[in-house]
Amino acid sequence: MGLHKPIELENLVISKPDLQPSLTDVIPPGEIPSHYINRYQAEYKVRCAFCDSHMPHNRGFTVRMEDGRTALCGKDCATKYFGKQIADNHEQELEKQIRRATKRKIIQRTLEGVPAALALLSDDWIEMEERALEASHALHIEFRYSGIQSEISEQGRYEHKESRRRWVERDDEFGRSRRVPIDEERVILSIAGAAILRGGETRPPVRLRRVKENLEKLLGVNTEGELSDLVVERMSETRSHLISDIRNAARFLNLCAQFYTKENIKALSRLTKHVKSTAGQIALHKRPYGFDLIITPIDYSGEDEIFNYGREQETYPLPDFTTKPQVESLLAELKDEYV
């Protein structure tokens, strides 16, 4: 599409269709419109120009005739008097215009909020996510051979269970007392937010840094002229990535807040005694403004090599997860809602 002046969304979806100028009250039988101008969900009953009874209705279309006349037509009457194929084709063309106009309005609203969103997105938030990613990726690498990633529940919790058999007295069908085995499972340790341990071999990107970069690109968009449909489509994709990155970063930091607790890290350190793993000792060390995650390697001999040989202790300063980014405020500035 070129730079033609787009139709505003407010003119494509209306609620008071009878207030439009120059409406024709009656259209003779057999006449079919060239296209639909808009659709409406009227706040009150309006009359159809096409059917004999001029049926009062709420849902319908404003249509344009070949000679330029405009008239109202109820949705059901459109199918009846124009034929299903013509009615469907006209409605589909109108819906395409509505979708384009909706995208344009969302982009316009988003661009208006970009300066405030950039001002709100602090470098501290970006550093928080970066530190959390570094520590979490280090733990993923540390436990990548443990096999526990596949046992993490959909809710992100890991539970290590132990089976135990005990014997109890039970009566058989003849009333004789016999000892029978009962196998029971009990949870040895539980780790909340264990989805942190999932991941790939490479560290994920810092999403909030990418958000800032994309916001800065949008800040430079010239909105004085009409934007082509192609530009609007690309900006819609950028906006979708922005919203996705913000929400994913928020989910990740919320997960970190659940995971990086003294109880959890103690359970994680104990886990190495219960599962086959090359992981070292894991601990949290208090510092004046938070905690450090400490990973102390332990040499493990495998069939062909010695794991962790020569590795030094690793320290990852953790951010304060009680001061998480104001995600809802950030999304509000970008007008994350359907128009």
Side-chain angles (χ1 to χ4, degrees), residues 40 47 92 94 104 107 111 141 170 186 310 326:
Y40 54 81
R47 292 189 174 276
Q92 288 167 10
L94 176 61
R104 284 179 178 277
I107 290 301
L111 290 175
I141 296 299
R170 293 284 171 84
R186 67 188 184 100
Q326 303 170 36

Side-chain angles (χ1 to χ4, degrees), residues 106 109-110 112-113 239 330-337:
I106 291 175
R109 288 156 57 93
T110 297
E112 290 170 358
R239 181 185 181 280
L330 190 58
L331 292 174
E333 296 295 348
L334 296 175
K335 311 299 188 293
D336 182 34
E337 58 201 41

